[in-house]
Amino acid sequence: PGALLLFLVGIGIALGTQPDAREFTFGLAPIQFAQLNSSDFTKGFVQAALPQIPVTTMNSVVALVKLNNDLFLERPTSLVKVTCTIGLLDLTLPWCGGIPSCHGAGGLAAQYGFGARSNVSMLFLGLFKLLGAVVFGNSLLMLVEAYPVSVLAAMLAYSGVQLAACARDINESNPFMVLVFTSASAIAFNNTALGVGVGIVTTVLLNLVVWVQTKGWTGLPAFGRDLVPFARPVEARRLSTLLGVHD
């Protein structure tokens, strides 16, 4: 597979150009359990958990489930399963000195694009990491730091393209506008939470315009008339439920 070859090329470059990357020591690194107190929980919740909620919810839960169910029709998953696995993972890792982790739609798109078609690829990856940690311990950090950024950037760029390509099946103007406004806002302001908020507002506005159309009211304000051509027809009852508007 191309990804594996590229990964090995990166390791070869690191070993050949950085002498420190070749200083391996054998043996498992000492395992230390974290001593957490109330201030750690407060700081972690305010500075790490709260800002991460929009990203984790959309990228690691909603987008992941949608992408998985599109790519693997015969092996669908659910929001509940993915949410529970992420929660169990992040409740366990900090006590062992680990960092918060999640699945990530980008990782799934990249693995699929690089050729993975079953959970065997993940088992292979996990086994490789475990063997490396057990045999080389902390000395692997030197190799990680020496790994060429150019190779890593190429792999990450390919992953981003694979994930973005999943939106190519959007052939209706309403969800496409939500996609554009959400992405543009998040990138322009470098704020994922703001992008999510803009996407939600855009969705509500478009659906509100369509709901008004279905009621036969033509006295739309100027911005409403401008949005009408982009809004796709949907049932009035569905929109009324979504917006909390009833006859």
Side-chain angles (χ1 to χ4, degrees):
L4 182 58
L5 294 177
L6 186 59
F7 172 72
L8 294 177
V9 168
I11 291 181
I13 294 175
L15 294 175
T17 59
Q18 301 293 331
D20 292 341
R22 299 192 294 267
E23 296 180 0
F24 291 108
T25 58
F26 297 94
L28 179 66
I31 299 177
Q32 298 179 348
F33 292 97
Q35 301 294 325
L36 303 178
N37 52 47
S38 58
S39 62
D40 293 328
F41 280 98
T42 302
K43 183 178 180 180
F45 179 76
V46 174
Q47 298 184 8
L50 284 180
Q52 188 68 21
I53 287 177
V55 179
T56 300
T57 302
M58 300 307 299
N59 178 61
S60 302
V61 180
V62 178
L64 176 71
V65 171
K66 178 65 170 62
L67 181 59
N68 176 86
N69 294 349
D70 286 346
L71 297 178
F72 303 100
L73 298 176
E74 72 284 359
R75 288 170 287 174
T77 187
S78 66
L79 295 173
V80 174
K81 289 181 179 180
V82 174
T83 304
C84 288
T85 56
I86 294 177
L88 290 174
L89 190 67
D90 289 337
L91 285 174
T92 305
L93 288 179
W95 299 100
C96 303
I99 61 175
S101 302
C102 59
H103 302 295
L108 176 59
Q111 290 160 2
Y112 189 88
F114 284 132
R117 292 297 182 272
S118 70
N119 59 350
V120 175
S121 61
M122 296 304 299
L123 294 174
F124 175 79
L125 177 62
L127 180 61
F128 178 78
K129 289 181 177 180
L130 284 174
L131 288 176
V134 170
V135 175
F136 298 108
N138 286 335
S139 63
L140 278 180
L141 293 176
M142 302 299 296
L143 178 60
V144 172
E145 293 178 357
Y147 197 86
V149 177
S150 57
V151 177
L152 183 61
M155 299 179 71
L156 291 176
Y158 181 80
S159 302
V161 171
Q162 286 294 314
L163 183 59
C166 297
R168 63 182 179 272
D169 61 343
I170 298 180
N171 53 13
E172 297 177 343
S173 55
N174 191 337
F176 184 76
M177 282 189 65
V178 174
L179 170 66
V180 170
F181 276 103
T182 302
S183 303
S185 301
I187 295 174
F189 296 99
N190 194 26
N191 191 318
T192 305
L194 178 61
V196 172
V198 171
I200 293 174
V201 171
T202 304
T203 302
V204 172
L205 287 177
L206 288 173
N207 286 336
L208 180 60
V209 170
V210 177
W211 178 82
V212 171
Q213 277 189 301
T214 60
K215 293 300 183 180
W217 182 52
T218 57
L220 289 173
F223 80 92
R225 291 194 298 272
D226 294 338
L227 290 176
V228 166
F230 299 100
R232 61 187 175 91
V234 292
E235 295 180 355
R237 181 177 302 174
R238 176 186 172 192
L239 285 175
S240 299
T241 303
L242 176 64
L243 299 172
V245 181
H246 305 281
D247 295 332

